[in-house]
Amino acid sequence: MKIGNINIKYPLFLAPMSGVTDQPFRIICKKYGASVVYTEFVSADGIIRENVKTLDMVKFDDFERPIGVQIFGNDPDTVAESAFNIYNKFKPDIIDINFGCPVPKVTKKGGGSAALKNLELMRKIASNTVNAVKDVPITVKMRAGWDYNNIIINDAGIILEESGVKAITLHARTSKQMYKGSADWNMIGELKETVKSIPIIGNGDITSIDDYKKLKKISKCDGVMIGRGSLGKPWIFRDIVSFIKSEQNEKICLSEILSICFEHVSLLKKYKSNKVVINLSKKHLSYYIKSFNNSSFYRKEIMKSETIEEIESVLKSIN
Ligand SMILES: Cc1cc2nc3c(=O)[nH]c(=O)nc-3n(C[C@H](O)[C@H](O)[C@H](O)COP(=O)(O)O)c2cc1C
């Protein structure tokens, strides 16, 4: 699969997730099979104002390539200028525009999925950004519409293709749905039918090899993006790669999961300030330890830990 002129080895993408897809988690997912990873979304305004926190969220290592930086904003010129600045400063492989975020804080100002209600705005944001950055592919991630009475997959698909974006990811829910109900993979198939010249990446509720197979069969999408299914289970990408290569499913053993837990904590220590390492370790480990016997006991022990050393000693006690 190709996005613009970037070769993608296996069509498996780690979804951008705010508060989750920081550098440590991206490195772990990359190591365990994701072909392309994305930053958390960053505000186009924040980039232009050179807000330090925003710029920090865009930093990445070469090991993470190909990597996409995702931006959101409501003003076509601002989004285009921020994409130009990101390209100049960081040289990512892909710049992705967020037309999917349903959070009122973002949509009230016209950002994220608000563009699903205003396709002319969507067109301007996409085409201004494509015109501002010639050297990396601009892609889009969107939902299927604002609500079920206003599904805009086909119109948006045509507009985005005409605007020159190089791939579209569809999270097959409406904005109103937030994360409720289930993703409707038929809608990904509908978009794939409409948009012929660029890859379509399907997203929503993929948590296993079986889901991957079903989504590919139903929609014929080119790539698959996984978000929540990778939490505490980053090897989901490796599982799907081995299915693609040899139709095999190797089951991960508990000792490997434990070693990934240590690896994740050690990456958090490397990349994050002391202040946040403990909370982020607790957040991620509570997902990993679901696979262990006695998980509720270990979870409680981790949650009541006050230092990173205490957390590591709980991990050491797991057998
Ligand atoms: C905690 C969290 C944060 C998210 N942040 C973003 C984001 O920054 N940008 C984005 O496009 N989507 C974001 N999403 C949506 C995911 O990328 C994805 O579209 C959605 O979770 C559905 O896929 P999944 O079922 O594989 O998780 C977020 C989702 C979650 C759960």
Side-chain angles (χ1 to χ4, degrees):
M1 172 182 177
K2 276 187 118 178
I3 294 185
N5 50 14
I6 297 174
N7 284 314
I8 313 279
K9 197 162 179 200
Y10 295 103
L12 297 174
F13 297 71
L14 169 67
M17 286 184 283
S18 177
V20 178
T21 54
D22 55 11
Q23 241 183 320
F25 190 62
R26 295 195 305 261
I27 290 173
I28 291 273
C29 287
K30 193 87 196 187
K31 190 165 166 200
Y32 292 92
S35 278
V36 180
V37 297
Y38 289 83
T39 63
E40 309 166 62
F41 70 172
V42 292
S43 137
D45 288 318
I47 294 292
I48 288 178
R49 281 189 272 106
E50 305 208 324
N51 178 294
V52 176
K53 263 192 175 164
T54 310
L55 293 175
D56 268 356
M57 284 159 84
V58 181
K59 286 184 185 153
F60 58 85
D61 290 347
D62 276 343
F63 174 72
E64 299 173 58
R65 291 185 183 279
I67 180 167
V69 172
Q70 194 192 53
I71 44 178
F72 72 94
N74 58 0
D75 174 62
D77 293 334
T78 309
V79 176
E81 189 183 337
S82 74
F84 180 78
N85 293 356
I86 287 171
Y87 175 67
N88 279 335
K89 261 203 183 79
F90 300 97
K91 303 274 185 302
D93 304 282
I94 294 168
I95 295 178
D96 188 70
I97 307 173
N98 179 311
F99 291 138
C101 178
V103 175
K105 206 172 106 187
V106 172
T107 56
K108 268 190 193 143
K109 293 187 190 150
S113 65
L116 304 172
K117 288 190 288 191
N118 183 349
L119 294 187
E120 273 320 298
L121 177 66
M122 179 186 277
R123 183 197 295 278
K124 279 208 99 184
I125 292 178
S127 59
N128 284 18
T129 309
V130 167
N131 290 332
V133 185
K134 298 283 182 212
D135 293 333
V136 290
I138 304 298
T139 60
V140 156
K141 180 165 178 283
M142 66 174 192
R143 289 193 179 221
W146 182 254
D147 58 31
Y148 264 114
N149 295 324
N150 294 285
I151 299 292
I152 46 73
I153 303 169
N154 295 323
D155 292 345
I158 292 164
I159 284 173
L160 293 170
E161 202 175 22
E162 284 170 0
S163 306
V165 310
K166 295 290 190 288
I168 304 172
T169 302
L170 178 63
H171 174 191
R173 282 189 172 82
T174 65
S175 182
K176 279 272 175 205
Q177 252 185 300
M178 306 287 281
Y179 292 89
K180 293 197 276 289
S182 37
D184 179 352
W185 296 339
N186 291 309
M187 297 201 285
I188 298 167
E190 215 182 291
L191 181 64
K192 178 70 192 157
E193 275 284 300
T194 304
V195 174
K196 300 283 188 211
S197 68
I198 54 174
I200 299 301
I201 301 160
N203 169 241
D205 302 347
I206 312 297
T207 59
S208 64
I209 296 176
D210 268 356
D211 291 338
Y212 169 85
K213 285 195 271 188
K214 273 187 215 145
L215 169 62
K216 290 283 281 182
K217 188 161 179 226
I218 290 175
S219 71
K220 310 218 165 21
C221 62
D222 303 280
V224 171
M225 180 180 274
I226 301 175
R228 291 164 297 171
S230 65
L231 285 166
K233 208 179 142 194
W235 55 89
I236 187 171
F237 298 105
R238 184 179 70 182
D239 286 353
I240 298 175
V241 168
S242 59
F243 169 77
I244 295 171
K245 283 194 335 208
S246 57
E247 303 231 330
Q248 288 197 348
N249 180 11
E250 285 164 32
K251 223 177 160 332
I252 190 160
C253 63
L254 288 186
S255 65
E256 192 180 8
I257 300 179
L258 206 47
S259 93
I260 297 171
C261 291
F262 281 111
E263 197 178 355
H264 200 151
V265 171
S266 110
L267 284 166
L268 286 167
K269 287 185 346 192
K270 177 171 173 194
Y271 286 102
K272 297 285 182 177
S273 70
N274 284 345
K275 257 185 10 206
V276 295
V277 170
I278 294 180
N279 284 343
L280 286 172
S281 297
K282 288 180 177 179
K283 175 163 151 177
H284 285 283
L285 292 175
S286 66
Y287 285 104
Y288 286 110
I289 60 181
K290 282 184 185 154
S291 327
F292 296 128
N293 290 334
N294 260 338
S295 62
S296 66
F297 169 77
Y298 292 121
R299 189 174 178 278
K300 273 189 211 135
E301 292 298 302
I302 285 173
M303 287 304 159
K304 71 180 191 214
S305 300
E306 288 176 6
T307 64
I308 197 67
E309 290 74 24
E310 279 178 50
I311 291 177
E312 285 173 321
S313 76
V314 177
L315 284 181
K316 281 183 194 142
S317 74
I318 297 176
N319 48 43

